[in-house]
């Protein structure tokens, strides 16, 4: 039950003297960006550009937008339903790689067609 899990977490916090975020750092595999929105005129054309550019991804999933997976980073780009925008989420194994890939992806999204 959820109540038992919550009590176990509270017990662990009490015994360790650490904050929840400190305890979770041990399990943090990826460094993430905040979801980043980009105004675009042609969402489909930009998605095709990304598919072509990142064709070498380990996997490309089109379940909710496009998700590209590599060994050391992954990202998802999905179209907004209410505005002419694409939303980017990106995670990588290091903050440096995360920042590099985010810049690379955003430059492709925001470049003129």
């Amino acid at each position: 039950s959820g109540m038992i899990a919550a009590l176990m977490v509270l017990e662990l916090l009490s015994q360790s003297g650490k904050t929840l975020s400190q305890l979770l750092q041990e399990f943090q595999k990826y460094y993430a960006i905040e979801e980043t929105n980009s105004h675009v005129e042609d969402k489909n054309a930009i998605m095709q550009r990304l598919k072509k550019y990142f064709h070498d991804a380990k996997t490309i999933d089109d379940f909710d937008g496009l998700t590209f997976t590599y060994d050391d980073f992954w990202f998802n780009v999905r179209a907004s339903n209410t505005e002419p925008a694409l939303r980017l989420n990106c995670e990588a194994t290091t903050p440096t790689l995360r920042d590099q890939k985010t810049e690379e992806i955003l430059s492709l999204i925001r470049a003129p067609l």
Side-chain angles (χ1 to χ4, degrees):
S1 98
M3 184 63 76
I4 292 172
L7 290 171
M8 291 179 75
V9 169
L10 291 172
E11 180 181 24
L12 181 60
L13 288 169
S14 174
Q15 290 175 349
S16 71
K18 296 180 180 179
T19 65
L20 182 58
S21 57
Q22 288 171 329
L23 289 174
L24 292 175
Q25 279 180 341
E26 177 183 339
F27 302 101
Q28 186 174 0
K29 181 178 176 182
Y30 290 101
Y31 296 88
I33 64 167
E34 293 292 322
E35 184 171 77
T36 304
N37 298 323
S38 298
H39 177 83
V40 297
E41 294 301 322
D42 188 343
K43 295 183 262 190
N44 290 329
I46 300 298
M47 297 293 253
Q48 291 307 312
R49 176 190 284 170
L50 293 170
K51 276 178 101 168
K52 184 176 181 181
Y53 187 88
F54 291 102
H55 65 89
D56 63 340
K58 199 174 190 178
T59 62
I60 301 173
D61 181 355
D62 63 356
F63 177 69
D64 182 21
L66 290 173
T67 301
F68 299 83
T69 306
Y70 289 84
D71 288 334
D72 51 0
F73 79 100
W74 71 268
F75 71 96
N76 171 271
V77 178
R78 61 185 179 81
S80 168
N81 290 327
T82 58
E83 56 189 341
L86 292 176
R87 305 189 192 293
L88 170 66
N89 289 284
C90 180
E91 295 185 352
T93 54
T94 67
T96 301
L97 181 61
R98 174 204 57 206
D99 295 345
Q100 290 170 346
K101 291 302 177 181
T102 299
E103 184 178 323
E104 180 180 4
I105 298 160
L106 286 175
S107 71
L108 289 165
I109 290 172
R110 295 174 178 171
L113 289 173

